[in-house]
Amino acid sequence: MKYTKNFYQIKSNLEIFERLKAERETIGYYNLPYQDTTEIKKYAQSITKKYVVVLGIGGSSLGARAIYEFLLPSNNYSKDLLFLETVDPLKINHCLKKVDLKDAQFVVISKSGNTIETISLFKYLNSLVEIDKSNCTIISEAQSSLTQFANDNNIKVFDLAKNVGGRFSVFSVVGLVPLAMVGVDIDNLLNGCKRVVDSFFKQEEYYKPIIRKARFLVENKSRFNINVLFSYSSLLESFNKWYVQLWAESLGKVNVNGTRQALTPIGLVGPVDQHSFLQMIMDGVRDKTVTFIKIDDLKDGTIIPKDSSKKFDNLSWGCAEDFTFNELLNMQADATIQSIQEQDDIPCDVISIRTVDEYNIAKIMFSYQLLVSCIGAFLQINTYDQPGVEYGKINLAEKFTQTS
């Protein structure tokens, strides 16, 4: 008897764990938490410009932006960090109105060195102000044309390791250099990462939640193929965008036997999206999992004031007076979580971030990177390439060839 098959069997948790342990030898992001940051910090301290302007797109900007915008409201940074990540001219010029270009440090980031959006922005900004070694930092792979440009023009360049993919690069020089320039404690970021990676690979606190969630999502991917991240704080809006790229570009692949995989990420922010997408979750098709993220302490004690003048007596929600907005936000989150849980047929989980600091945002971001790696291993795909993205680049190059 001859037997053949065209389906794959879901591996055991132990097999997946061993695969991730093996990946640590070749996939660079796993070991970023242990890097020496001395050179980055020394260089960052030498930057005296008021504005730090990052030219990058996708993995070159989303992670650093997520961290910066999470930390910004509760910190008094002496510099402003801005991200130019579009070729929409209206957006570009609107953003530049906020910047004194003569008092700006330009951080040009492209892993490949030939990202069209980044190179085009670089050329445009150079037409507005001379960009040279006095106001420019470049981050790219060692052998890229952008690194060669930096060397030819005596511009400081930080090498991005070839085995660190863009969407997994937030804790590499891609994220650490611009964040350090504005005063973010990058060592505390890496401490948060180390807490997670050490725990996971020692099969301690972080191991079971990550690998069990990955397994559930893969085993139920046909039924629940939409994964909703419902973040209860506007501080996490850019984190949601980072999550969407990490998830979609890593997991939308063809697996070992040619089957197309589809776990679709959606990022929501509460309470705003309680008034829109929550309706779809509650009464729509049961094809979604929901992960809630709450922040216990926003480091802000602003209170909903008590009305002593009787002016608002006829308005509702007098019971909310004397509560902090932080308390209100988390009560709204808890009420929504309870509503979902009461449905009994919507898989959901809850992540609580203790407070707003580098350590805690790093823990959740590194946890998500590990989760994506686990899911990719279960799916038996290449988690770290993005062949689908390359088609658009090829077609764009052809269009320029046709019009030149």
Side-chain angles (χ1 to χ4, degrees), residues 109-152:
I109 307 176
S110 170
K111 178 175 168 63
S112 65
N114 58 15
T115 308
I116 188 170
E117 296 91 347
T118 304
I119 301 303
S120 299
L121 284 166
F122 192 10
K123 292 176 179 177
Y124 175 61
L125 286 170
N126 188 70
S127 73
L128 303 178
V129 61
E130 183 69 23
I131 299 180
D132 54 29
K133 65 181 181 179
S134 69
N135 63 356
C136 185
T137 311
I138 285 175
I139 299 172
S140 187
E141 287 185 354
Q143 303 303 316
S144 76
S145 57
L146 189 57
T147 294
Q148 185 61 53
F149 173 89
N151 292 333
D152 291 343

Side-chain angles (χ1 to χ4, degrees), residues 38-159:
T38 304
E39 180 189 357
I40 296 174
K41 290 183 293 186
K42 182 178 179 181
Y43 177 74
Q45 289 171 358
S46 73
I47 303 301
T48 59
K49 301 290 197 300
K50 165 66 176 173
Y51 301 94
V52 177
V53 182
V54 172
L55 282 63
I57 194 168
S60 296
S61 65
L62 286 173
R65 184 169 190 163
I67 292 170
Y68 178 66
E69 293 187 1
F70 178 79
L71 298 171
L72 181 60
S74 57
N75 288 273
N76 295 313
Y77 296 120
S78 60
K79 302 183 182 71
D80 292 333
L81 180 58
L82 295 95
F83 297 85
L84 291 180
E85 49 192 0
T86 178
V87 290
D88 181 334
L90 295 177
K91 181 67 173 179
I92 294 168
N93 291 309
H94 175 72
C95 290
L96 292 179
K97 289 177 182 178
K98 308 171 187 176
V99 181
D100 178 358
L101 295 179
K102 294 181 180 179
D103 196 16
Q105 181 76 19
F106 301 97
V107 184
V108 185
I109 307 176
S110 170
K111 178 175 168 63
S112 65
N114 58 15
T115 308
I116 188 170
E117 296 91 347
T118 304
I119 301 303
S120 299
L121 284 166
F122 192 10
K123 292 176 179 177
Y124 175 61
L125 286 170
N126 188 70
S127 73
L128 303 178
V129 61
E130 183 69 23
I131 299 180
D132 54 29
K133 65 181 181 179
S134 69
N135 63 356
C136 185
T137 311
I138 285 175
I139 299 172
S140 187
E141 287 185 354
Q143 303 303 316
S144 76
S145 57
L146 189 57
T147 294
Q148 185 61 53
F149 173 89
N151 292 333
D152 291 343
N153 291 275
N154 296 315
I155 294 172
K156 175 64 177 177
V157 60
F158 286 92
D159 291 340

Side-chain angles (χ1 to χ4, degrees), residues 40 44 52 54 63-69 71 77 81 83 107 170-186 189 358:
I40 296 174
V52 177
V54 172
R65 184 169 190 163
I67 292 170
Y68 178 66
E69 293 187 1
L71 298 171
Y77 296 120
L81 180 58
F83 297 85
V107 184
V170 58
F171 299 112
S172 72
V173 289
V174 167
L176 299 187
V177 169
L179 290 170
M181 285 181 180
V182 298
V184 171
D185 185 346
I186 61 172
L189 282 174
E358 291 90 345

